[in-house]
Amino acid sequence: MASPFTFVPLTTTSRFSRPNFPARTTAIITCSDTVKIANNSKTLLISPLPVASLNSLRCDPGYLIPNYPVGGNGGDSGFQYLINILGARVYDVAHESPLQLAPKLSQKLGVNVWLKREDLQPVSSFNLRGAYNMMAKLSEEELKRGVICSSAGNHAQGVALASHKLGCNAIIVMPVTTPEIKWKSVERLGGKVVLMGDVYDESQAYAKKRAEEEGRTFIPPFDHLGRPFSFSKSTFSLPLLLLENRSSLSLRLMRLNAGQGTIGMEINRQLKDKIHAIFVPVGGGGLIAGIAAYMKRVAPDVKIIGVEPCDANAMAMSLHFGHRVILDQVGNFADGVAVKVVGEETFRLCKELIDGVVLVNRDAICVSIKDMFEEKRSILEPAGALALAGAEAYCKYYGLKDENVVAITSGANINFDRLRLISQLADNAGRNREAVLATCMPEDPGSFKRFCKQTGGRSNLHNELLCQFTFPEKAGALSKTIDAFSPHWNISLIHYRAQVHIGANVLVGIQVPQDEFDEFQDCARRVGYKYIVKNIK
């Protein structure tokens, strides 16, 4: 079998490496002892994690990026997790979700595909399990002071529902790019929504600061051991270290992850036949850590496989290097798992317990959303279809037959206006059914002939390169990009296409002499938006 990896040439020497691992990649692009963050004319110094380029780890769809070593059961803490999962308080608000066979997919793949329907929970996602299990054990005084959390959507709804059940005031901080269906659902559940920050990291930093100022309990989505994560910009001050009791926080994290781990307990009870693998979507790692903590104690032969988008692969990167890293950028298509760094406690568990990670692209996710609709007439959000996409790709890559595989359908909170894009990607890109080209030309004799000559040949512009930028839908983003390059370099063309909540794709033609290409790349990186050089002459 050919090597599944695309090897990326070294661009930076790093003192972080992991020998004897099959993925030879250049992931670490920055490693300094301290990182300076300018904030309100002050410079704060924090101990950073290494920064990794998400594009440097690439492999064939469905290939299992292995985790070495694997085979532990969590030790003493693993036993404590088992006890906490067995005694978790989740069923005051959640129910035991059904495990359903997907007959059409099973026939197509030659395996038994089982769907763990967490999208059928009261908030249409699994997140209320961990949130309620943690909050139900807060003291009366803590509940009286209120809680606060940061979330891109599903965790927020879990906290809001748990707060309503417990009679607790809750503030929910969400990125300004959060789909409307998610923040409106939080408001209907009684949570007070604050939209702050372009990305999750900024929302989290703001929520932690308010927690300290107002005496509220911070309810993490997957991890919170008092260490601030890096962020791109801020309009508020950030403490170097939140002054909280670390052992108390560790206990709360165990309750949070144990709540999610009840899904593993249910799967083990519902499916008595031998299970080859359970596929779990990975964002911060809380869901897979909880499931692995249970399954590796009671059924250690079952593979626990994480699934991440290619453009949000923080867990795969961290497992590769043996320690957590921060991604330099992250894609927002699957916004429910779009995190730059996995949790400290969740990574500790995953490093010992899970079998590896499968990466899937946007097209594969869209195809799985369509497959789920055709199978069950249910519509998943991109993060909710992630595990199913990984299971499909894995079974095809390894030619798996006559085995039982389980995929967690983790959420179904999706705006209606995103369905058009998902449908187009599933049909046009995922299924490779059609391609549509559009152009405009004057109604003059010979116009079509000239058009054919132009499209059939190469551009005559000297030193032209094509660059694809992806940036958020907000005022000034396009102007910022244009101002960065013009008038130093001539912009020969620009094509803008909005794609709802995942941002805008902009194709830019720029004339850049070969000896100025490095300067151009530095300039493009300073703009701060994801970009790919498509073509250079």
Side-chain angles (χ1 to χ4, degrees):
M1 181 180 296
S3 171
F5 285 91
T6 299
F7 301 137
V8 180
L10 286 172
T11 57
T12 305
T13 300
S14 170
R15 58 189 173 96
F16 290 93
S17 61
R18 196 172 185 194
N20 301 322
F21 191 82
R24 302 185 193 91
T25 64
T26 302
I28 303 300
I29 61 171
T30 299
C31 178
S32 58
D33 294 331
T34 58
V35 167
K36 294 182 179 180
I37 298 178
N39 185 14
N40 295 334
S41 301
K42 297 179 181 179
T43 298
L44 304 178
L45 299 180
I46 63 174
S47 297
L49 296 173
V51 179
S53 171
L54 64 88
N55 290 320
S56 62
L57 182 58
R58 307 172 189 171
C59 60
D60 292 344
Y63 176 77
L64 179 65
I65 302 173
N67 175 34
Y68 296 126
V70 68
N73 59 16
D76 292 340
S77 67
F79 181 70
Q80 189 61 45
Y81 264 103
L82 179 64
I83 294 174
N84 276 270
I85 291 170
L86 293 172
R89 289 184 58 184
V90 301
Y91 299 108
D92 293 346
V93 291
H95 58 252
E96 181 173 314
S97 59
L99 184 68
Q100 301 174 344
L101 182 68
K104 294 179 182 178
L105 276 174
S106 298
Q107 183 178 13
K108 181 177 75 172
L109 297 174
V111 298
N112 297 317
V113 180
W114 298 88
L115 308 173
K116 181 60 173 168
R117 299 294 304 278
E118 285 299 292
D119 57 299
L120 299 179
Q121 291 291 353
V123 295
S124 299
S125 74
F126 72 92
N127 301 74
L128 77 169
R129 293 177 182 259
Y132 187 81
N133 191 50
M134 179 177 174
M135 292 175 59
K137 297 178 182 179
L138 295 177
S139 67
E140 289 187 12
E141 179 60 29
E142 288 172 318
L143 290 173
K144 184 178 179 180
R145 289 198 301 266
V147 301
I148 189 169
C149 78
S150 55
S151 170
N154 292 339
H155 175 64
Q157 294 179 67
V159 171
L161 179 60
S163 299
H164 177 75
K165 181 75 173 180
L166 297 168
C168 173
N169 174 265
I171 293 177
I172 314 295
V173 184
M174 310 179 79
V176 296
T177 55
T178 301
E180 183 180 26
I181 188 175
K182 292 189 177 182
W183 64 259
K184 281 194 172 182
S185 296
V186 171
E187 289 186 332
R188 284 195 294 270
L189 292 168
K192 180 181 178 181
V193 175
V194 176
L195 298 177
M196 173 64 66
D198 293 332
V199 295
Y200 172 76
D201 292 342
E202 295 175 9
S203 303
Q204 184 191 58
Y206 175 80
K208 288 182 177 180
K209 181 63 168 57
R210 282 197 64 168
E212 183 189 29
E213 292 177 342
E214 301 175 15
R216 294 177 177 270
T217 299
F218 182 82
I219 307 298
F222 53 85
D223 203 42
H224 178 54
L225 290 179
R227 294 184 179 180
F229 296 135
S230 65
F231 53 93
S232 58
K233 62 181 180 180
S234 175
T235 57
F236 45 84
S237 59
L238 176 70
L240 292 180
L241 184 67
L242 297 178
L243 302 177
E244 299 180 73
N245 185 280
R246 192 175 181 86
S247 61
S248 174
L249 286 167
S250 297
L251 179 59
R252 291 178 185 174
L253 282 175
M254 184 172 288
R255 292 169 180 165
L256 182 78
N257 297 331
Q260 325 294 27
T262 56
I263 296 174
M265 178 180 68
E266 292 174 9
I267 292 172
N268 188 60
R269 181 168 60 237
Q270 292 169 322
L271 186 56
K272 298 301 182 183
D273 295 335
K274 182 181 178 182
I275 302 173
H276 174 79
I278 300 175
F279 292 84
V280 188
V282 177
L287 177 60
I288 192 170
I291 291 175
Y294 183 86
M295 293 301 298
K296 290 302 183 180
R297 274 278 171 178
V298 302
D301 292 336
V302 176
K303 295 181 185 298
I304 306 299
I305 298 175
V307 186
E308 291 183 302
C310 296
D311 58 359
N313 55 9
M315 182 63 77
M317 284 290 192
S318 298
L319 291 175
H320 167 58
F321 285 97
H323 52 75
R324 293 189 305 152
V325 299
I326 299 175
L327 297 180
D328 61 342
Q329 57 186 336
V330 64
N332 288 320
F333 180 71
D335 56 283
V337 295
V339 301
K340 289 188 175 182
V341 59
V342 298
E344 184 175 345
E345 171 67 1
T346 58
F347 176 69
R348 183 189 70 81
L349 289 169
C350 289
K351 188 173 183 293
E352 181 176 353
L353 299 177
I354 76 170
D355 292 84
V357 176
V358 169
L359 302 181
V360 295
N361 59 27
R362 187 174 63 180
D363 293 344
I365 295 172
C366 292
V367 169
S368 289
I369 293 174
K370 183 174 182 179
D371 287 342
M372 182 67 180
F373 178 77
E374 293 176 345
E375 192 76 56
K376 301 295 181 183
R377 292 299 184 265
S378 296
I379 300 176
L380 299 175
E381 63 182 283
L386 191 60
L388 183 56
E392 289 191 60
Y394 175 90
C395 292
K396 291 176 182 177
Y397 183 87
Y398 290 100
L400 202 66
K401 298 297 178 185
D402 302 322
E403 298 279 3
N404 290 300
V405 298
V406 177
I408 313 293
T409 57
S410 59
N413 292 301
I414 183 171
N415 278 7
F416 181 79
D417 57 6
R418 295 191 70 184
L419 298 180
R420 179 180 178 182
L421 172 63
I422 289 172
S423 176
Q424 289 176 340
L425 291 173
D427 278 338
N428 300 341
R431 303 293 193 189
N432 294 318
R433 289 184 176 175
E434 63 176 307
V436 179
L437 300 176
T439 188
C440 295
M441 64 183 69
E443 289 288 347
D444 297 328
S447 293
F448 186 68
K449 182 178 180 180
R450 290 194 299 271
F451 169 76
C452 291
K453 288 182 177 180
Q454 290 174 349
T455 56
R458 297 174 59 88
S459 170
N460 293 324
L461 289 180
H462 187 56
N463 289 326
E464 184 186 41
L465 63 84
L466 299 180
C467 219
Q468 178 182 318
F469 285 88
T470 303
F471 51 67
E473 288 281 2
K474 64 178 183 179
L478 180 59
S479 296
K480 178 182 177 182
T481 305
I482 295 175
D483 291 344
F485 303 115
S486 179
H488 186 69
W489 295 295
N490 178 53
I491 297 178
S492 55
L493 68 87
I494 188 164
H495 178 268
Y496 182 102
R497 182 183 183 186
Q499 296 193 17
V500 198
H501 297 289
I502 65 173
N505 274 339
V506 181
L507 185 65
V508 182
I510 306 176
Q511 288 181 273
V512 180
Q514 289 285 349
D515 58 0
E516 297 179 12
F517 183 67
D518 290 342
E519 181 184 355
F520 165 78
Q521 284 198 305
D522 290 340
C523 183
R525 281 192 287 265
R526 288 196 298 271
V527 171
Y529 302 138
K530 179 182 177 182
Y531 78 97
I532 302 172
V533 176
K534 306 291 288 187
N535 184 31
I536 183 168
K537 301 185 183 70

Coordinates of all heavy atoms in Angstrom, one line a residue, residues 21 28 51 67 164-165 215 226 289 322 329 332 353 377 382 424 427 433 469 478 490 500 507 510-511 520:
F21 N 7.7 7.9 14.1 CA 6.3 8.1 13.8 C 6.1 8.1 12.3 O 6.9 8.8 11.6 CB 5.8 9.3 14.5 CG 4.3 9.4 14.5 CD1 3.5 8.8 15.4 CD2 3.6 10.2 13.5 CE1 2.1 8.9 15.4 CE2 2.2 10.3 13.5 CZ 1.5 9.6 14.5
I28 N 5.4 22.1 13.7 CA 5.7 23.3 14.6 C 6.3 24.4 13.8 O 7.3 24.3 13.1 CB 6.7 22.9 15.7 CG1 6.1 21.7 16.5 CG2 7.0 24.0 16.6 CD1 4.8 22.0 17.1
V51 N 3.2 26.4 18.4 CA 2.2 26.7 17.4 C 2.4 25.7 16.2 O 3.6 25.6 15.8 CB 2.3 28.1 17.0 CG1 1.3 28.4 15.9 CG2 2.1 29.1 18.1
N67 N -2.1 6.5 17.4 CA -1.7 7.0 18.6 C -0.7 6.1 19.3 O -1.1 4.9 19.5 CB -2.9 7.3 19.5 CG -2.4 7.8 20.9 OD1 -1.4 8.5 21.0 ND2 -3.2 7.5 21.9
H164 N -31.3 26.4 34.0 CA -32.8 26.6 34.1 C -33.3 25.5 35.1 O -34.1 25.8 36.0 CB -33.5 26.4 32.8 CG -35.0 26.5 32.8 ND1 -35.7 27.7 33.1 CD2 -35.9 25.5 32.7 CE1 -37.0 27.4 33.1 NE2 -37.1 26.1 32.9
K165 N -32.8 24.3 34.9 CA -33.2 23.1 35.8 C -32.8 23.4 37.2 O -33.6 23.0 38.2 CB -32.6 21.9 35.3 CG -33.0 20.6 36.0 CD -34.4 20.2 35.7 CE -34.7 18.8 36.4 NZ -36.1 18.4 36.1
G215 N -17.3 36.7 40.3 CA -17.4 35.6 41.2 C -18.3 34.4 40.7 O -18.7 33.6 41.5
G226 N -7.0 26.7 34.5 CA -6.5 28.0 34.9 C -5.4 28.6 34.0 O -4.8 29.6 34.4
A289 N -12.7 11.7 25.3 CA -12.0 11.3 26.5 C -12.9 10.6 27.5 O -12.5 9.5 28.1 CB -11.4 12.6 27.2
G322 N 3.2 14.3 20.8 CA 3.3 13.9 22.2 C 3.0 14.9 23.2 O 3.1 14.6 24.4
Q329 N -4.2 28.4 12.7 CA -5.5 28.8 12.2 C -6.4 27.6 12.2 O -6.0 26.5 12.4 CB -5.4 29.4 10.8 CG -4.8 28.4 9.8 CD -4.5 29.0 8.4 OE1 -5.2 30.0 8.0 NE2 -3.6 28.4 7.7
N332 N -13.9 27.0 10.1 CA -15.1 27.2 10.9 C -16.3 26.5 10.3 O -17.4 26.6 10.7 CB -15.4 28.6 11.1 CG -14.5 29.3 12.1 OD1 -14.1 28.7 13.1 ND2 -14.1 30.5 11.8
L353 N -5.4 6.5 25.9 CA -6.5 5.6 25.7 C -7.0 5.4 24.2 O -7.4 4.3 23.9 CB -7.7 6.1 26.5 CG -7.5 6.1 28.0 CD1 -8.7 6.7 28.7 CD2 -7.2 4.8 28.6
R377 N -33.9 10.6 7.5 CA -34.7 11.9 7.3 C -34.4 12.9 8.5 O -35.3 13.6 8.9 CB -36.2 11.6 7.3 CG -36.6 10.9 6.0 CD -36.2 11.7 4.7 NE -36.7 11.0 3.5 CZ -36.0 10.2 2.8 NH1 -34.7 9.9 3.1 NH2 -36.4 9.7 1.6
P382 N -22.7 20.2 10.6 CA -21.4 19.6 10.1 C -20.6 18.8 11.2 O -20.1 17.7 11.0 CB -20.6 20.8 9.6 CG -21.7 21.7 9.1 CD -22.8 21.6 10.1
Q424 N -25.1 21.7 -2.3 CA -24.2 21.9 -3.4 C -22.9 21.2 -3.3 O -22.4 20.5 -4.2 CB -24.0 23.4 -3.6 CG -25.2 24.2 -4.1 CD -24.9 25.7 -4.2 OE1 -24.0 26.2 -3.6 NE2 -25.8 26.4 -5.0
D427 N -23.4 17.4 -3.6 CA -23.6 16.9 -5.0 C -22.5 17.2 -6.0 O -22.0 16.3 -6.7 CB -24.9 17.5 -5.5 CG -26.2 16.8 -5.0 OD1 -26.0 15.6 -4.7 OD2 -27.2 17.4 -5.0
R433 N -20.6 15.2 -9.4 CA -21.6 15.0 -10.4 C -21.5 16.1 -11.5 O -21.9 15.8 -12.7 CB -23.0 15.1 -9.8 CG -23.3 13.8 -8.9 CD -24.7 13.8 -8.3 NE -24.9 12.6 -7.6 CZ -26.0 12.4 -6.9 NH1 -27.0 13.3 -6.9 NH2 -26.2 11.2 -6.3
F469 N -8.1 33.4 -0.6 CA -8.2 33.8 0.8 C -9.6 33.4 1.3 O -10.6 33.4 0.6 CB -8.1 35.3 0.9 CG -6.7 35.8 0.7 CD1 -6.2 36.2 -0.5 CD2 -5.9 36.0 1.9 CE1 -4.9 36.6 -0.6 CE2 -4.6 36.5 1.7 CZ -4.1 36.8 0.5
L478 N -12.6 42.7 3.4 CA -12.1 42.7 2.0 C -11.1 43.9 1.8 O -10.1 43.8 1.2 CB -13.2 42.9 1.0 CG -12.9 43.0 -0.5 CD1 -12.1 41.7 -0.9 CD2 -14.2 43.1 -1.3
N490 N 0.5 44.9 -8.1 CA -0.7 45.1 -8.9 C -1.7 43.9 -8.7 O -1.3 42.8 -8.8 CB -0.4 45.2 -10.4 CG -1.6 45.4 -11.3 OD1 -2.5 46.2 -11.0 ND2 -1.8 44.5 -12.3
V500 N -22.0 32.1 3.6 CA -22.7 32.1 4.9 C -21.8 32.1 6.1 O -20.9 32.9 6.1 CB -23.8 31.0 4.9 CG1 -24.9 31.3 5.9 CG2 -24.4 30.7 3.6
L507 N -10.8 34.9 -4.5 CA -9.8 34.6 -5.4 C -9.1 35.9 -5.9 O -9.8 36.7 -6.5 CB -10.3 33.7 -6.6 CG -9.2 33.2 -7.6 CD1 -8.3 32.2 -6.9 CD2 -9.8 32.6 -8.8
I510 N -2.5 38.5 -8.3 CA -1.5 39.5 -7.9 C -0.3 39.3 -8.7 O 0.2 38.2 -8.8 CB -1.2 39.5 -6.4 CG1 -2.5 39.6 -5.6 CG2 -0.3 40.6 -6.0 CD1 -2.3 39.4 -4.1
Q511 N 0.3 40.4 -9.3 CA 1.6 40.3 -10.0 C 2.7 40.5 -9.0 O 2.9 41.6 -8.5 CB 1.6 41.4 -11.1 CG 0.7 41.0 -12.3 CD 0.8 42.1 -13.4 OE1 0.1 43.1 -13.3 NE2 1.6 41.8 -14.3
F520 N 6.0 38.7 -0.2 CA 4.5 38.6 -0.4 C 3.9 37.7 0.6 O 2.9 37.9 1.2 CB 4.2 38.1 -1.8 CG 2.8 37.6 -2.0 CD1 1.7 38.5 -2.1 CD2 2.5 36.2 -1.9 CE1 0.4 38.0 -2.2 CE2 1.2 35.8 -2.0 CZ 0.2 36.7 -2.2

